[in-house]
């Protein structure tokens, strides 16, 4: 019979060591999952609370007026643009495919797919944003056929402010999808918080001086902040990105 110190005894010790390493990895993995879940839950909770504060800010500073009606109507077409170009395609097509390649350790193919999707999406978003800025006066009656005079003019101006905000929101959604695929959740969780803070500050700080335009500008600032806070981390992971239309 082999004694400890022989090849068989060494094999037993190595097997035990391997099991301990696996258990340690599993514990680390569980801790990481718990940490990520906590980050996401805290981010959602704070964002929801700020969402309530945002609604209160709108009611407290502006109330229910023709201006606020125009403000909310200004989102109709930009939001449709977002859901058509990014919302459905991002969750139903791009992210599952991108994540599956990462799971197979095929990062090169993952970023080839991502490069094509991001390039096409950004070009379409820019085209629609420019189209919206130029033809806002033609698009406004499609969402508010009963508007006329000064209220219609207000809607047109607000739409021209809101279109870039939707561009930044869409880009932030792309960043969030990619970062979540890499199991990075901190920046995507902070982004919506900054978005809500931008609207709240726009309402309280700019609203009394600039009216509804102040809140619209706060919205743009919040959307840009949502995009910008994720950008540094996104750049670290996206070194393999190459603009292409393949």
């Amino acid at each position: 019979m082999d004694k400890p110190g022989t090849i068989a005894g060494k094999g037993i010790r190595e097997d035990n060591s391997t099991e301990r390493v696996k258990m340690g990895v599993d514990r680390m993995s569980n801790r990481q999952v718990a940490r990520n879940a906590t980050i996401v839950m805290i981010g959602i909770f704070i964002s929801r609370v700020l969402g309530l504060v945002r609604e209160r800010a709108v009611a407290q500073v502006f109330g229910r007026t023709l201006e606020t009606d125009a403000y909310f109507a200004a989102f109709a077409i930009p939001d449709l643009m977002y859901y058509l170009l990014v919302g459905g395609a991002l969750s139903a097509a791009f992210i599952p495919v991108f994540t599956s390649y990462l799971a197979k350790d095929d990062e090169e193919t993952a970023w080839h797919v991502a490069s094509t999707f991001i390039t096409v999406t950004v070009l379409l978003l820019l085209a629609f944003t420019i189209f919206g800025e130029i033809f806002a006066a033609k698009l406004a009656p499609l969402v508010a056929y009963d508007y006329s005079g000064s209220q219609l003019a207000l809607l047109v101006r607000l739409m021209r402010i809101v279109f870039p905000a939707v561009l930044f929101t869409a880009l932030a959604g792309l960043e969030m999808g990619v970062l979540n695929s890499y199991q990075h959740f901190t920046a995507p969780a902070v982004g919506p918080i900054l978005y809500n803070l931008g609207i709240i500050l726009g309402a309280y700080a700019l609203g009394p001086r600039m009216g509804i335009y102040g809140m619209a500008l706060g919205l743009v600032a919040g959307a840009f902040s949502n995009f910008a806070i994720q950008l540094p981390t996104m750049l670290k992971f996206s070194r393999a990105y190459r603009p292409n239309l393949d």
Side-chain angles (χ1 to χ4, degrees), residues 54-55 58 62 70-76 78-79 157-170 172 191-204 206-207 210-227:
R54 179 192 66 204
E55 297 302 317
V58 175
F62 303 103
Y71 173 82
F72 290 116
F75 287 97
D79 278 352
R157 288 192 291 270
L158 288 172
M159 285 179 67
R160 285 180 171 143
I161 295 174
V162 166
F163 263 107
V166 176
L167 170 65
F168 289 126
T169 300
I193 295 173
L194 297 180
Y195 174 77
N196 282 318
L197 283 174
I199 299 174
I200 293 168
L201 292 174
Y204 281 123
L206 300 179
M210 302 178 63
I212 200 71
Y213 297 113
M215 189 164 64
L217 291 173
L219 173 96
V220 176
F224 176 77
S225 298
N226 185 9
F227 162 73

Coordinates of all heavy atoms in Angstrom, one line a residue, residues 54-55 58 62 70-76 78-79 157-170 172 191-204 206-207 210-227:
R54 N -39.0 63.6 -8.9 CA -39.1 64.3 -10.2 C -40.6 64.6 -10.5 O -40.9 65.8 -10.9 CB -38.6 63.3 -11.3 CG -38.7 63.9 -12.7 CD -38.4 62.8 -13.7 NE -39.4 61.8 -13.7 CZ -39.3 60.5 -14.0 NH1 -38.1 60.1 -14.4 NH2 -40.3 59.7 -14.0
E55 N -41.5 63.7 -10.3 CA -42.9 64.0 -10.5 C -43.4 65.1 -9.6 O -44.2 65.9 -10.0 CB -43.8 62.7 -10.3 CG -43.4 61.6 -11.3 CD -43.6 62.0 -12.7 OE1 -44.6 62.7 -13.1 OE2 -42.7 61.7 -13.6
V58 N -42.2 68.5 -11.0 CA -43.1 68.9 -12.1 C -44.3 69.5 -11.6 O -44.8 70.6 -12.0 CB -43.4 67.8 -13.1 CG1 -44.3 68.3 -14.2 CG2 -42.1 67.3 -13.7
F62 N -44.5 73.6 -11.8 CA -45.3 74.0 -13.0 C -46.8 73.7 -12.9 O -47.6 74.3 -13.6 CB -44.8 73.2 -14.3 CG -43.3 73.5 -14.5 CD1 -42.4 72.5 -14.2 CD2 -42.9 74.7 -15.1 CE1 -41.0 72.8 -14.4 CE2 -41.5 74.9 -15.3 CZ -40.6 74.0 -15.0
A70 N -47.5 70.2 -23.3 CA -46.6 70.3 -24.4 C -45.3 69.6 -24.1 O -44.7 68.9 -25.0 CB -46.3 71.7 -24.8
Y71 N -44.8 69.7 -22.9 CA -43.5 69.0 -22.5 C -43.6 67.5 -22.7 O -42.8 66.9 -23.2 CB -43.2 69.4 -21.1 CG -42.1 68.7 -20.5 CD1 -40.7 69.1 -20.7 CD2 -42.3 67.5 -19.6 CE1 -39.7 68.4 -20.1 CE2 -41.2 66.9 -19.1 CZ -39.9 67.3 -19.3 OH -38.8 66.6 -18.7
F72 N -44.7 66.9 -22.2 CA -44.9 65.5 -22.2 C -45.2 65.0 -23.7 O -44.8 64.0 -24.1 CB -46.0 65.0 -21.3 CG -45.6 65.1 -19.9 CD1 -46.3 66.0 -19.0 CD2 -44.6 64.4 -19.3 CE1 -45.9 66.1 -17.7 CE2 -44.2 64.5 -18.0 CZ -44.9 65.3 -17.2
A73 N -45.9 65.9 -24.4 CA -46.2 65.5 -25.8 C -44.9 65.5 -26.7 O -44.8 64.8 -27.7 CB -47.2 66.5 -26.4
A74 N -43.9 66.3 -26.3 CA -42.7 66.4 -27.0 C -41.9 65.1 -27.0 O -41.0 64.9 -27.9 CB -41.8 67.5 -26.4
F75 N -42.2 64.2 -26.1 CA -41.5 62.9 -26.0 C -42.0 61.9 -27.0 O -41.4 60.9 -27.2 CB -41.6 62.4 -24.6 CG -40.7 63.1 -23.6 CD1 -41.2 64.1 -22.8 CD2 -39.4 62.8 -23.5 CE1 -40.5 64.7 -21.9 CE2 -38.6 63.5 -22.6 CZ -39.1 64.4 -21.8
A76 N -43.2 62.1 -27.5 CA -43.9 61.0 -28.2 C -43.1 60.4 -29.4 O -42.8 59.2 -29.5 CB -45.3 61.5 -28.7
P78 N -39.7 61.2 -30.3 CA -38.4 60.8 -29.9 C -38.4 59.4 -29.2 O -37.5 58.6 -29.4 CB -37.9 61.9 -29.0 CG -38.7 63.1 -29.5 CD -40.0 62.6 -29.9
D79 N -39.4 59.2 -28.3 CA -39.5 57.9 -27.7 C -39.8 56.8 -28.6 O -39.2 55.7 -28.5 CB -40.6 57.9 -26.6 CG -40.1 58.6 -25.3 OD1 -38.9 58.9 -25.2 OD2 -41.0 58.8 -24.4
R157 N -40.5 73.8 -30.3 CA -39.2 74.1 -29.6 C -38.8 73.0 -28.6 O -37.6 72.7 -28.5 CB -39.4 75.5 -28.9 CG -39.4 76.7 -29.9 CD -39.2 78.0 -29.2 NE -40.4 78.3 -28.4 CZ -41.5 79.0 -28.8 NH1 -41.5 79.4 -30.0 NH2 -42.5 79.3 -27.9
L158 N -39.8 72.5 -27.9 CA -39.4 71.5 -26.9 C -39.0 70.2 -27.6 O -38.1 69.5 -27.1 CB -40.7 71.2 -26.0 CG -41.0 72.3 -25.0 CD1 -42.3 72.0 -24.3 CD2 -39.9 72.5 -23.9
M159 N -39.6 69.9 -28.7 CA -39.2 68.7 -29.4 C -37.8 68.8 -29.9 O -37.0 67.8 -29.8 CB -40.1 68.4 -30.6 CG -41.5 67.9 -30.2 SD -42.6 67.6 -31.7 CE -41.7 66.3 -32.6
R160 N -37.4 70.0 -30.3 CA -36.0 70.2 -30.8 C -35.0 70.1 -29.6 O -33.8 69.7 -29.8 CB -35.9 71.5 -31.5 CG -36.5 71.5 -32.9 CD -36.5 72.8 -33.6 NE -36.9 72.7 -35.0 CZ -37.6 73.6 -35.6 NH1 -37.9 74.7 -35.1 NH2 -37.9 73.4 -36.9
I161 N -35.4 70.4 -28.4 CA -34.6 70.2 -27.3 C -34.5 68.7 -26.9 O -33.4 68.2 -26.5 CB -35.1 71.1 -26.1 CG1 -35.0 72.5 -26.4 CG2 -34.3 70.7 -24.8 CD1 -35.6 73.4 -25.3
V162 N -35.6 68.0 -27.0 CA -35.7 66.7 -26.5 C -35.0 65.7 -27.4 O -34.5 64.6 -26.9 CB -37.2 66.3 -26.2 CG1 -37.4 64.8 -26.1 CG2 -37.8 67.1 -25.1
F163 N -35.0 65.9 -28.7 CA -34.4 64.9 -29.6 C -33.0 64.5 -29.2 O -32.6 63.3 -29.2 CB -34.5 65.4 -31.0 CG -35.6 64.9 -31.8 CD1 -36.7 65.7 -32.1 CD2 -35.7 63.6 -32.2 CE1 -37.8 65.3 -32.8 CE2 -36.8 63.1 -33.0 CZ -37.8 64.0 -33.3
P164 N -32.1 65.5 -28.9 CA -30.7 65.0 -28.5 C -30.7 64.2 -27.2 O -29.9 63.4 -27.0 CB -30.0 66.4 -28.3 CG -30.7 67.3 -29.2 CD -32.2 66.9 -29.1
A165 N -31.7 64.5 -26.3 CA -31.7 63.8 -25.0 C -32.0 62.3 -25.3 O -31.4 61.4 -24.7 CB -32.8 64.4 -24.1
V166 N -32.9 62.0 -26.3 CA -33.2 60.6 -26.6 C -32.0 60.0 -27.2 O -31.7 58.8 -27.0 CB -34.4 60.6 -27.5 CG1 -34.7 59.2 -28.0 CG2 -35.7 61.1 -26.8
L167 N -31.2 60.7 -28.0 CA -30.0 60.2 -28.6 C -29.1 59.7 -27.5 O -28.5 58.6 -27.5 CB -29.3 61.3 -29.4 CG -27.8 61.0 -29.9 CD1 -27.8 59.8 -30.8 CD2 -27.2 62.2 -30.6
F168 N -28.8 60.6 -26.4 CA -28.0 60.2 -25.3 C -28.5 59.0 -24.5 O -27.8 58.1 -24.1 CB -27.7 61.4 -24.4 CG -26.8 62.4 -25.0 CD1 -27.3 63.8 -25.1 CD2 -25.6 62.1 -25.5 CE1 -26.4 64.7 -25.6 CE2 -24.8 63.1 -26.1 CZ -25.2 64.4 -26.1
T169 N -29.9 59.0 -24.4 CA -30.5 57.9 -23.6 C -30.3 56.6 -24.4 O -30.0 55.5 -23.8 CB -32.0 58.2 -23.5 OG1 -32.2 59.4 -22.7 CG2 -32.7 57.0 -22.7
A170 N -30.4 56.6 -25.7 CA -30.2 55.4 -26.5 C -28.8 54.9 -26.4 O -28.5 53.7 -26.2 CB -30.6 55.7 -27.9
A172 N -26.7 55.5 -23.9 CA -26.6 55.0 -22.6 C -27.1 53.6 -22.5 O -26.6 52.7 -21.7 CB -27.3 55.9 -21.6
G191 N -26.2 55.7 -13.7 CA -26.7 56.5 -14.8 C -28.1 57.0 -14.6 O -28.4 58.2 -14.7
P192 N -29.1 56.1 -14.4 CA -30.5 56.6 -14.2 C -30.7 57.6 -13.1 O -31.6 58.4 -13.1 CB -31.3 55.3 -14.0 CG -30.4 54.2 -14.7 CD -29.0 54.7 -14.4
I193 N -29.9 57.4 -12.0 CA -29.9 58.3 -10.9 C -29.6 59.7 -11.3 O -30.2 60.7 -11.0 CB -29.0 57.9 -9.7 CG1 -29.5 56.5 -9.2 CG2 -28.9 58.9 -8.6 CD1 -28.6 55.9 -8.2
L194 N -28.5 59.8 -12.1 CA -28.1 61.2 -12.6 C -29.1 61.7 -13.6 O -29.3 62.9 -13.6 CB -26.7 61.0 -13.3 CG -25.5 60.6 -12.5 CD1 -24.3 60.5 -13.3 CD2 -25.4 61.6 -11.3
Y195 N -29.8 60.9 -14.4 CA -30.8 61.3 -15.3 C -31.9 62.0 -14.5 O -32.4 63.1 -14.9 CB -31.3 60.1 -16.0 CG -32.5 60.4 -16.9 CD1 -32.4 61.0 -18.1 CD2 -33.8 60.0 -16.5 CE1 -33.5 61.3 -19.0 CE2 -34.9 60.2 -17.3 CZ -34.7 60.9 -18.5 OH -35.8 61.1 -19.3
N196 N -32.4 61.3 -13.5 CA -33.5 61.9 -12.7 C -33.1 63.2 -12.0 O -33.8 64.1 -11.9 CB -34.0 60.9 -11.6 CG -34.9 59.9 -12.3 OD1 -35.8 60.2 -13.1 ND2 -34.7 58.6 -11.9
L197 N -31.8 63.2 -11.5 CA -31.3 64.4 -10.8 C -31.2 65.6 -11.8 O -31.5 66.7 -11.4 CB -29.9 64.1 -10.2 CG -29.8 63.3 -8.9 CD1 -28.4 63.0 -8.6 CD2 -30.5 64.1 -7.8
G198 N -30.9 65.3 -13.0 CA -30.9 66.4 -14.0 C -32.2 67.0 -14.2 O -32.3 68.3 -14.2
I199 N -33.3 66.2 -14.3 CA -34.6 66.8 -14.5 C -35.0 67.5 -13.2 O -35.6 68.6 -13.3 CB -35.6 65.6 -14.8 CG1 -35.2 64.9 -16.1 CG2 -37.0 66.2 -14.9 CD1 -36.0 63.7 -16.4
I200 N -34.8 66.9 -12.0 CA -35.2 67.6 -10.8 C -34.5 69.0 -10.6 O -35.1 70.0 -10.3 CB -34.8 66.7 -9.6 CG1 -35.7 65.4 -9.6 CG2 -35.0 67.4 -8.3 CD1 -35.2 64.3 -8.7
L201 N -33.2 69.0 -10.9 CA -32.4 70.3 -10.8 C -32.9 71.2 -11.8 O -33.0 72.5 -11.6 CB -30.9 70.0 -10.9 CG -30.3 69.2 -9.8 CD1 -28.8 68.9 -10.1 CD2 -30.4 70.1 -8.5
G202 N -33.2 70.7 -13.0 CA -33.7 71.6 -14.1 C -35.0 72.2 -13.7 O -35.3 73.4 -14.0
A203 N -35.9 71.5 -13.0 CA -37.2 72.0 -12.6 C -37.0 73.0 -11.5 O -37.6 74.1 -11.6 CB -38.1 70.8 -12.2
Y204 N -36.3 72.7 -10.5 CA -36.2 73.6 -9.3 C -35.2 74.7 -9.5 O -35.5 75.9 -9.1 CB -35.7 72.8 -8.1 CG -36.8 72.0 -7.4 CD1 -36.7 70.6 -7.3 CD2 -38.0 72.6 -7.0 CE1 -37.7 69.8 -6.7 CE2 -39.0 71.8 -6.4 CZ -38.8 70.4 -6.3 OH -39.9 69.7 -5.7
L206 N -33.8 75.8 -12.7 CA -33.9 76.6 -13.9 C -35.4 77.0 -14.2 O -35.7 77.9 -14.9 CB -33.4 75.8 -15.1 CG -31.9 75.5 -15.1 CD1 -31.5 74.7 -16.3 CD2 -31.1 76.8 -14.9
G207 N -36.3 76.1 -13.7 CA -37.7 76.3 -14.0 C -38.2 77.7 -13.6 O -38.9 78.3 -14.4
M210 N -36.6 80.1 -16.3 CA -36.7 79.7 -17.7 C -38.0 79.0 -18.1 O -38.3 78.7 -19.2 CB -35.5 78.9 -18.2 CG -34.2 79.5 -17.9 SD -32.8 78.4 -18.4 CE -33.1 78.2 -20.2
G211 N -38.8 78.8 -17.1 CA -40.1 78.1 -17.3 C -39.8 76.6 -17.7 O -38.9 76.0 -17.3
I212 N -40.7 76.1 -18.6 CA -40.6 74.7 -18.9 C -39.3 74.3 -19.7 O -38.9 73.2 -19.7 CB -41.9 74.3 -19.8 CG1 -42.1 72.8 -19.8 CG2 -41.8 74.8 -21.2 CD1 -42.5 72.2 -18.4
Y213 N -38.7 75.4 -20.3 CA -37.5 75.1 -21.0 C -36.4 74.7 -20.1 O -35.5 74.0 -20.4 CB -37.0 76.4 -21.8 CG -38.0 76.8 -22.9 CD1 -38.7 78.0 -22.8 CD2 -38.2 76.0 -24.0 CE1 -39.6 78.3 -23.8 CE2 -39.0 76.4 -25.0 CZ -39.8 77.6 -24.9 OH -40.6 77.9 -25.9
G214 N -36.4 75.2 -18.8 CA -35.4 74.9 -17.8 C -35.5 73.4 -17.5 O -34.4 72.7 -17.4
M215 N -36.7 72.8 -17.4 CA -36.8 71.4 -17.1 C -36.3 70.6 -18.3 O -35.7 69.5 -18.2 CB -38.2 71.0 -16.7 CG -38.3 69.6 -16.2 SD -39.8 69.3 -15.3 CE -41.1 69.5 -16.6
A216 N -36.7 71.1 -19.5 CA -36.2 70.4 -20.7 C -34.7 70.3 -20.8 O -34.1 69.3 -21.2 CB -36.8 71.0 -22.0
L217 N -34.1 71.4 -20.5 CA -32.6 71.5 -20.5 C -32.0 70.6 -19.4 O -31.0 69.9 -19.6 CB -32.1 72.9 -20.3 CG -32.4 73.9 -21.5 CD1 -32.0 75.3 -21.1 CD2 -31.6 73.4 -22.7
G218 N -32.7 70.5 -18.3 CA -32.3 69.6 -17.2 C -32.4 68.1 -17.7 O -31.5 67.3 -17.3
L219 N -33.4 67.9 -18.5 CA -33.6 66.5 -19.1 C -32.4 66.2 -20.0 O -31.8 65.1 -19.9 CB -34.9 66.5 -19.8 CG -35.1 65.2 -20.6 CD1 -36.0 64.2 -19.8 CD2 -35.7 65.4 -22.0
V220 N -32.0 67.1 -20.8 CA -30.8 66.9 -21.7 C -29.6 66.6 -20.9 O -28.8 65.7 -21.2 CB -30.7 68.0 -22.7 CG1 -29.4 67.8 -23.5 CG2 -31.9 68.2 -23.6
A221 N -29.4 67.5 -19.8 CA -28.2 67.3 -19.0 C -28.2 66.0 -18.3 O -27.2 65.3 -18.2 CB -28.2 68.4 -18.0
G222 N -29.4 65.5 -17.8 CA -29.5 64.2 -17.2 C -29.2 63.1 -18.1 O -28.5 62.1 -17.8
A223 N -29.8 63.2 -19.3 CA -29.5 62.1 -20.3 C -28.0 62.1 -20.7 O -27.5 61.0 -20.8 CB -30.4 62.4 -21.6
F224 N -27.4 63.2 -20.8 CA -26.0 63.2 -21.2 C -25.2 62.6 -20.0 O -24.2 61.9 -20.2 CB -25.5 64.6 -21.5 CG -24.0 64.7 -21.7 CD1 -23.5 64.3 -22.9 CD2 -23.2 65.2 -20.7 CE1 -22.1 64.4 -23.1 CE2 -21.8 65.3 -20.9 CZ -21.3 64.9 -22.2
S225 N -25.5 63.0 -18.8 CA -24.8 62.4 -17.6 C -25.0 60.9 -17.5 O -24.0 60.2 -17.2 CB -25.4 63.1 -16.3 OG -25.2 64.5 -16.3
N226 N -26.1 60.4 -17.9 CA -26.4 59.0 -17.9 C -25.4 58.3 -18.9 O -24.8 57.3 -18.6 CB -27.8 58.7 -18.3 CG -28.2 57.2 -18.2 OD1 -27.4 56.4 -17.7 ND2 -29.4 56.9 -18.7
F227 N -25.2 58.9 -20.0 CA -24.3 58.4 -21.0 C -22.9 58.6 -20.6 O -22.0 57.7 -20.7 CB -24.5 59.2 -22.4 CG -23.4 59.1 -23.3 CD1 -23.2 57.9 -24.0 CD2 -22.6 60.2 -23.6 CE1 -22.1 57.8 -25.0 CE2 -21.6 60.1 -24.5 CZ -21.3 58.9 -25.2

